[in-house]
Amino acid sequence: MSIKTRFAPSPTGYLHIGGARTALFSWLYARRHGGSFVLRIEDTDLERSTTESVNAILEGMTWLGLEYDEGPFYQTHRFDRYKQVIDQLLQDGKAYRCYCTKDRLEQLREQQMENKQKPKYDGFCLDNNHDDTDKPYVIRFKNPKQGEVVIDDMVKGQVVISNDELDDLIIARSDGTPTYNLTVVVDDLDMGITHVVRGDDHLNNTPRQINILKAMGAELPVYAHVPMILGDDGKRMSKRHGATSVMQYRDEGFLPEAVLNYLVRLGWSHGDRELFTLDEMISLFDSKDINKAASTYNEEKLLWLNQEYIKAATPEHIAHHLSWQLKELDIDPTNGPDLLSVIKPQQDRARTLKELARNIEFFYKDFDGYNAKAAKKNLKVSTLEPMQRLTEHFTNIENWNAEEIQTAIDAVIEQFEINLGKIGQPVRVAISGKAATPAIDITLELLGKQLTIVRMEKAIDFIKARAENQVVR
């Protein structure tokens, strides 16, 4: 059998982290077995579905690199097919028109609640069906009253639901539009979906969908219901827990492969191993290793993973994904040193690309002022003479490189009998506005002679002004 899985989001919001994990598991299962992966947009909720949400889903899938083999398909393009199925179910006596008013249904629900019964439709219109098509009606599926539905779930194991717990669900609204449970079944059948991987919040829909599939004489797909993701407070993941939109992770400076690695471990494991390449995920992914219990989101773990990926990546790969961050900071990487050369000494020092972009900003843009704490500690009056002398040395360097720069620094250290920190830290603050940079000789070589001297002179003026202020006081 050729495996075919699908990811079927509703375009009523962004692609959230839970949906992305479901898509990843479905994608991995198809890739692991040499099958196909389908993207289907379930947009029949006409009031809530938006073009912006569709684009956000497509953008999120592209950024993560979860390429689909078929699609995207849109349910709104298939209304004729759904109507055909509904009409056939009516003709076969497997569905019926329901004329019950909203008031009657509400009274029925209240009465059942008072009697401590499970609220469900009582089949009134099945027993009193007069087919008056001039009155408003919905169409209900005639659910079997006897027997049970057995779900051999790849994650949950065997789940058994008695048919008498299920009511006759609505498959077409009063305006004729099909409902979720009908459209999903028809799509999965028509698209040849063999394995349905989805969140376990859909588990209660599965017996209903299986009964519709049986009524259509269809072969059942295999189901895998993945447990939900919880926030660190033990509650279901939501906006209050931080980033939930996939593209927000891009905005915050995460590499897509780090997010995928985090997601695959958020509910799946292979021993104690934490880091996986995409090829390794595909070769090792097995549904039996999906956790049965809910997983807890931990942003610190994601940050750690992201830093590991940044450390291991090539400067070229980082530069590709860093471009969005540079644009946000209005940095033109052509207006300064070679970007790849700048990234290389910096990539061990940042947990996110956003942090990395801020760390290298001083190479390409002037900064407004110094970090107050760093300036107070390092641009002191006692550093004025060493800074002036070092600037003179820098001015006399003909071949501007790390070796010559370090020779100049060593000469000042020897002349003033100070350690490297007493001159290195003031220089860092002078040229970057802050106290932390990679090795000072490499940093200055990349910054260039002219800009280094300009910023050194600016820092010297700052120290002089500080000295004058102390005298006045």
Side-chain angles (χ1 to χ4, degrees):
M1 177 178 64
S2 179
I3 300 295
K4 184 181 280 192
T5 66
R6 47 78 160 177
F7 177 52
S10 298
T12 56
Y14 298 111
L15 176 59
H16 57 80
I17 203 71
R21 186 191 64 167
T22 299
L24 173 61
F25 282 11
S26 186
W27 184 86
L28 285 173
Y29 193 82
R31 293 290 178 264
R32 172 74 173 80
H33 296 280
S36 299
F37 176 64
V38 176
L39 176 62
R40 185 170 76 224
I41 306 297
E42 298 190 340
D43 56 347
T44 54
D45 187 342
L46 302 179
E47 290 185 4
R48 297 175 60 215
S49 297
T50 66
T51 301
E52 290 77 14
S53 293
V54 171
N55 291 336
I57 290 167
L58 298 177
E59 185 180 27
M61 295 288 285
T62 299
W63 182 71
L64 288 172
L66 298 179
E67 298 178 352
Y68 35 92
D69 304 296
E70 297 179 27
F73 297 110
Y74 296 87
Q75 288 187 329
T76 47
H77 298 172
R78 290 172 47 79
F79 279 147
D80 288 345
R81 170 59 176 154
Y82 304 137
K83 184 178 185 305
Q84 179 187 28
V85 171
I86 292 167
D87 288 346
Q88 188 64 51
L89 290 171
L90 282 169
Q91 183 179 325
D92 294 344
K94 296 175 180 178
Y96 60 93
R97 296 179 180 85
C98 174
Y99 300 88
C100 292
T101 63
K102 186 177 180 181
D103 288 341
R104 181 188 182 276
L105 295 174
E106 188 59 39
Q107 289 173 9
L108 173 64
R109 177 181 174 81
E110 290 176 1
Q111 184 179 356
Q112 289 172 331
M113 294 288 283
E114 286 178 11
N115 296 335
K116 296 183 179 179
Q117 297 173 324
K118 181 180 179 179
K120 64 177 184 177
Y121 184 62
D122 60 357
F124 178 81
C125 286
L126 175 62
D127 300 326
N128 300 275
N129 202 337
H130 46 279
D131 279 350
D132 184 354
T133 54
D134 290 333
K135 292 182 179 180
Y137 62 87
V138 298
I139 296 174
R140 291 184 181 272
F141 173 69
K142 185 179 177 182
N143 195 76
K145 298 297 183 283
Q146 306 297 322
E148 57 191 19
V149 180
V150 179
I151 308 166
D152 291 316
D153 194 274
M154 290 196 297
V155 178
K156 302 287 185 182
Q158 190 175 85
V159 180
V160 180
I161 305 293
S162 176
N163 275 320
D164 62 14
E165 293 184 31
L166 309 174
D167 61 358
D168 294 349
L169 77 158
I170 296 171
I171 58 174
R173 303 178 184 90
S174 57
D175 63 359
T177 57
T179 60
Y180 166 78
N181 281 300
L182 185 282
T183 58
V184 167
V185 166
V186 176
D187 288 344
D188 286 345
L189 174 61
D190 289 354
M191 295 174 188
I193 303 301
T194 62
H195 291 72
V196 175
V197 181
R198 58 187 178 186
D200 64 2
D201 53 332
H202 286 284
L203 185 58
N204 65 329
N205 291 321
T206 303
R208 296 172 169 85
Q209 293 172 10
I210 286 176
N211 281 338
I212 296 175
L213 282 164
K214 287 180 177 178
M216 296 173 66
E219 185 175 344
L220 302 181
V222 178
Y223 292 92
H225 290 91
V226 181
M228 67 178 66
I229 300 173
L230 304 178
D232 52 13
D233 57 359
K235 296 181 180 179
R236 186 168 181 173
M237 188 77 175
S238 66
K239 291 180 180 178
R240 69 177 177 275
H241 297 107
T244 54
S245 161
V246 165
M247 297 314 293
Q248 191 174 337
Y249 287 90
R250 178 206 61 184
D251 298 353
E252 292 299 321
F254 291 92
L255 286 168
E257 55 269 27
V259 174
L260 288 176
N261 193 149
Y262 180 73
L263 287 177
V264 80
R265 286 288 289 111
L266 200 61
W268 174 84
S269 60
H270 184 74
D272 296 327
R273 190 169 170 183
E274 295 289 353
L275 292 165
F276 299 87
T277 66
L278 199 55
D279 286 341
E280 289 169 339
M281 290 183 209
I282 293 170
S283 65
L284 296 172
F285 187 80
D286 194 320
S287 60
K288 68 180 177 61
D289 295 324
I290 297 175
N291 299 340
K292 291 179 171 59
S295 302
T296 302
Y297 177 81
N298 184 326
E299 186 157 344
E300 279 301 311
K301 182 69 170 291
L302 175 57
L303 283 165
W304 172 80
L305 268 174
N306 199 53
Q307 185 168 27
E308 292 301 307
Y309 272 88
I310 291 174
K311 286 179 181 178
T314 64
E316 289 82 1
H317 183 71
I318 292 175
H320 172 71
H321 288 285
L322 192 66
S323 60
W324 190 89
Q325 301 292 340
L326 298 180
K327 183 179 179 182
E328 286 296 293
L329 293 175
D330 195 28
I331 293 173
D332 179 1
T334 63
N335 185 31
D338 174 62
L339 181 60
L340 300 182
S341 299
V342 170
I343 288 172
K344 195 168 183 179
Q346 291 276 359
Q347 64 186 90
D348 287 350
R349 306 171 63 87
R351 295 205 294 177
T352 68
L353 297 181
K354 189 172 187 177
E355 183 182 345
L356 178 58
R358 287 173 175 166
N359 287 348
I360 68 173
E361 186 175 11
F362 72 91
F363 283 104
Y364 303 96
K365 291 173 64 178
D366 285 330
F367 46 89
D368 295 330
Y370 305 108
N371 175 277
K373 185 177 179 180
K376 183 178 180 181
K377 183 178 179 181
N378 297 292
L379 299 184
K380 297 184 290 189
V381 175
S382 60
T383 64
L384 180 58
E385 285 191 60
M387 289 285 281
Q388 288 175 319
R389 185 60 184 145
L390 184 58
T391 303
E392 291 174 11
H393 279 296
F394 285 166
T395 303
N396 294 328
I397 292 177
E398 293 185 7
N399 187 13
W400 186 259
N401 57 51
E403 185 178 353
E404 292 293 330
I405 291 166
Q406 188 60 53
T407 298
I409 293 172
D410 291 341
V412 172
I413 289 173
E414 183 178 351
Q415 178 182 350
F416 291 91
E417 299 181 343
I418 56 178
N419 60 38
L420 177 60
K422 293 294 183 180
I423 188 64
Q425 287 303 99
V427 172
R428 282 189 169 91
V429 177
I431 56 99
S432 71
K434 51 187 183 288
T437 70
I440 193 65
D441 53 351
I442 295 173
T443 301
L444 293 179
E445 178 182 332
L446 289 168
L447 187 63
K449 179 178 178 178
Q450 182 179 354
L451 195 51
T452 296
I453 292 171
V454 167
R455 290 183 181 177
M456 289 288 287
E457 290 174 344
K458 182 179 177 181
I460 289 168
D461 290 341
F462 177 87
I463 297 169
K464 286 179 178 178
R466 185 174 181 179
E468 291 173 3
N469 188 46
Q470 289 178 1
V471 171
V472 171
R473 287 185 178 180

